[in-house]
Amino acid sequence: MASSCGDSFDQDPGNTFFSFYPDVAASVESEYQEYKSSGSPCTASVTFDNPKHAKGATYKVHFSMPMRQINTETGFTRWVVRKPDSYLIECPNIKKIQQLLRRQQKKNRAKPAADLSTTTKVLSRIVWEALDKQSADDADSQLQSKVRGTFGVVLECIALPGYTLKTTDKREVTDLLAAQGLPVKVLMTCDDNKRASAIRLTGCSSDVDAAKQIICTETAFYRKAKLDISYPSTWSCTTPNQLAFVDVNKDCPEWHSIVSKLVGDIPQAVLTRLQRVQNDLAWKSFQNNVSNLKSRYTDKNGQVVVDNLTRELWHGTRSTAPTEVAKSPYGLEIVHSSPNCMWGAGNYMSAVAWYVHAGYATRTSAGESQMMLMQALTGVSDDRAPDKNIKEPRQMPADHEVRRQLNISPESPFPYNSVMGMTNNARIYITYSSGVAQQYPHYILTYKMP
């Protein structure tokens, strides 16, 4: 992203850097000059204005190459550059002004037109700038994410737990996709020790779906494996029946993606630990339920008529450790709920993290808080006022738009999939399933408040 030149870096042409405030830059420059002249410690401690912190945020700026700044609270790191800059200022033309004044002192002479032509002067200064992404890899990852979002590019993982891909299998996939002319990037990995393989497909959504359909229906090895489950691309392992709580590295895009969601709702929160839940049984069950619900809402033309069948929601487990809840093969279980809840006994999840933090987060012995980020199969939700007598979602009305699109007769049973409501300006979703994975706990977040 940047190239070194002596003691400084030149900004890259992509404008990926932003400048320090002048007072901050002056403080850092003073420390830098002392470091260069006397060999003082190669760091400077400065406090920046930061809207997320009432008293500002404190950073350590490291002068050793590559220069970087580190948030002392969160450990978030950015690359820093020091570079000379020049700018032009306009100066009054003193000579012209003096001539004008002398002429005005002479009597009986017409006043000349004012000629206040200016001269320019070039001044130099040192500026400090910080990369608006943590690293070149992080910036590249965000760019790829933006491209994927703009052009509909997706990444899907077809996991093959219990099966080891062979060279002939890889050749079969390559030949089949090439014959169809599908522009899909294919990466096949294999772990002989754990007898687990995975096929990762990257490309436009329609091409990836077509490639997945070919692999799952036309390859001999897949019929042998008898699987049709896509795993999250972030999973480090897809061995059968695994249950793991994997600590996510603070330096990776996955960590910062979750941080942004947390502080977006709770600006004061500082994430201290992020655990990815890799529960194979729960994930398989959840994905099967997603597939079934898609089939339920698919019309005769093969189009899914309901958008957003799943939602990303927050859940708190109060006195029960989140890891205990996440061990379930069903995601959440209604046994942990109470019939005295606002919408009856159910699996409650919130669209905003602050609502969970206020009354449902788990408090640890170290004084920190914990909550879970779920993926919930909410489907079509029934918007209802609080009612403790609710046991399950109601039937959709006979004139409901979804019934009409799917040509469901008014007499046929066709219930909503979940209930939703508002309380304290927070949107709440409730599922009433038991023994069915209608939600999956993707992450357990441990965080602290100032």
Side-chain angles (χ1 to χ4, degrees):
M1 299 287 294
S3 58
S4 62
C5 179
D7 292 331
S8 64
F9 284 84
D10 292 328
Q11 180 177 340
D12 79 284
N15 291 322
T16 54
F17 288 84
F18 60 87
S19 298
F20 286 16
Y21 291 122
D23 57 335
V24 175
S27 175
V28 174
E29 177 64 17
S30 175
E31 296 277 358
Y32 176 78
Q33 292 299 334
E34 185 175 347
Y35 156 69
K36 293 293 290 183
S37 62
S38 63
S40 61
C42 63
T43 60
S45 180
V46 293
T47 299
F48 292 6
D49 289 332
N50 189 316
K52 295 178 182 177
H53 302 277
K55 298 181 180 179
T58 301
Y59 295 81
K60 290 283 188 182
V61 180
H62 289 250
F63 299 134
S64 55
M65 295 298 178
M67 295 183 185
R68 59 204 182 280
Q69 72 176 38
I70 301 175
N71 187 310
T72 57
E73 285 287 329
T74 66
F76 187 80
T77 303
R78 299 181 191 273
W79 287 0
V80 168
V81 298
R82 174 186 180 273
K83 51 175 284 188
D85 187 29
S86 61
Y87 58 98
L88 300 178
I89 64 171
E90 292 187 347
C91 305
N93 192 326
I94 302 300
K95 183 177 180 180
K96 292 287 186 181
I97 293 175
Q98 289 174 342
Q99 291 175 352
L100 176 63
L101 292 175
R102 285 196 297 269
R103 291 173 184 174
Q104 288 178 338
Q105 290 174 355
K106 296 181 179 180
K107 295 181 179 181
N108 303 322
R109 184 163 183 173
K111 185 183 296 185
D115 183 3
L116 303 180
S117 301
T118 59
T119 60
T120 57
K121 184 178 181 180
V122 179
L123 298 181
S124 298
R125 62 179 174 180
I126 294 294
V127 296
W128 288 83
E129 298 176 338
L131 184 67
D132 67 358
K133 292 295 158 195
Q134 179 191 10
S135 66
D137 290 340
D138 198 4
D140 180 64
S141 175
Q142 195 209 38
L143 178 60
Q144 290 188 32
S145 177
K146 185 175 181 179
V147 170
R148 288 171 183 165
T150 301
F151 297 101
V153 178
V154 297
L155 169 64
E156 281 221 32
C157 176
I158 303 175
L160 302 169
Y163 184 83
T164 302
L165 279 170
K166 304 177 180 62
T167 303
T168 53
D169 300 331
K170 297 179 180 180
R171 187 180 303 117
E172 182 182 14
V173 169
T174 302
D175 292 345
L176 282 171
L177 299 187
Q180 296 297 321
L182 290 172
V184 175
K185 179 181 178 181
V186 181
L187 175 64
M188 289 177 274
T189 60
C190 180
D191 188 331
D192 293 325
N193 294 327
K194 295 182 179 179
R195 283 182 50 78
S197 304
I199 304 173
R200 299 177 186 273
L201 306 173
T202 305
C204 292
S205 179
S206 57
D207 293 330
V208 169
D209 287 344
K212 181 180 176 183
Q213 179 70 12
I214 290 173
I215 293 171
C216 296
T217 59
E218 298 185 25
T219 58
F221 71 85
Y222 194 88
R223 290 194 294 271
K224 186 182 300 183
K226 296 180 181 179
L227 286 165
D228 188 15
I229 298 294
S230 295
Y231 286 77
S233 60
T234 53
W235 278 32
S236 56
C237 176
T238 56
T239 52
N241 304 325
Q242 69 153 317
L243 173 60
F245 301 102
V246 180
D247 281 295
V248 177
N249 192 299
K250 293 183 178 181
D251 294 329
C252 73
E254 183 182 7
W255 171 282
H256 294 296
S257 172
I258 303 303
V259 167
S260 66
K261 294 173 183 177
L262 177 65
V263 301
D265 285 346
I266 312 175
Q268 302 84 6
V270 177
L271 188 64
T272 59
R273 186 182 188 187
L274 180 63
Q275 294 169 280
R276 184 194 315 119
V277 180
Q278 297 183 181
N279 185 332
D280 180 67
L281 292 178
W283 180 254
K284 287 178 180 176
S285 181
F286 177 73
Q287 286 299 304
N288 283 332
N289 290 331
V290 171
S291 179
N292 292 337
L293 200 61
K294 281 185 178 179
S295 298
R296 184 188 195 224
Y297 289 121
T298 300
D299 63 17
K300 61 182 180 180
N301 297 318
Q303 299 297 316
V304 179
V305 301
V306 177
D307 295 329
N308 301 322
L309 290 176
T310 63
R311 296 178 184 274
E312 201 170 58
L313 301 169
W314 302 94
H315 177 73
T317 58
R318 279 187 171 170
S319 59
T320 305
T323 49
E324 290 302 311
V325 175
K327 290 178 182 178
S328 168
Y330 310 117
L332 295 178
E333 296 187 68
I334 204 169
V335 67
H336 295 291
S337 184
S338 165
N340 293 321
C341 292
M342 294 178 68
W343 286 271
N347 304 308
Y348 283 66
M349 293 159 285
S350 170
V352 288
W354 59 259
Y355 180 83
V356 175
H357 172 74
Y360 302 93
T362 300
R363 312 302 177 189
T364 70
S365 57
E368 297 182 317
S369 300
Q370 291 181 310
M371 68 173 71
M372 304 167 75
L373 186 57
M374 316 287 297
Q375 186 176 357
L377 188 58
T378 53
V380 181
S381 299
D382 186 10
D383 196 348
R384 301 188 61 175
D387 181 354
K388 295 181 180 179
N389 295 316
I390 297 176
K391 304 293 184 183
E392 60 185 11
R394 297 180 297 192
Q395 296 292 323
M396 290 187 195
D399 60 350
H400 196 285
E401 176 66 13
V402 172
R403 274 186 180 270
R404 185 193 65 77
Q405 289 178 299
L406 297 175
N407 197 27
I408 304 295
S409 68
E411 299 79 19
S412 299
F414 203 72
Y416 287 99
N417 308 111
S418 60
V419 168
M420 66 178 178
M422 293 292 295
T423 177
N424 295 327
N425 294 319
R427 173 68 68 182
I428 308 300
Y429 290 86
I430 310 98
T431 63
Y432 296 86
S433 55
S434 184
V436 177
Q438 196 172 343
Q439 46 281 312
Y440 182 82
H442 270 306
Y443 296 99
I444 298 174
L445 292 83
T446 303
Y447 60 97
K448 62 183 179 180
M449 302 290 287

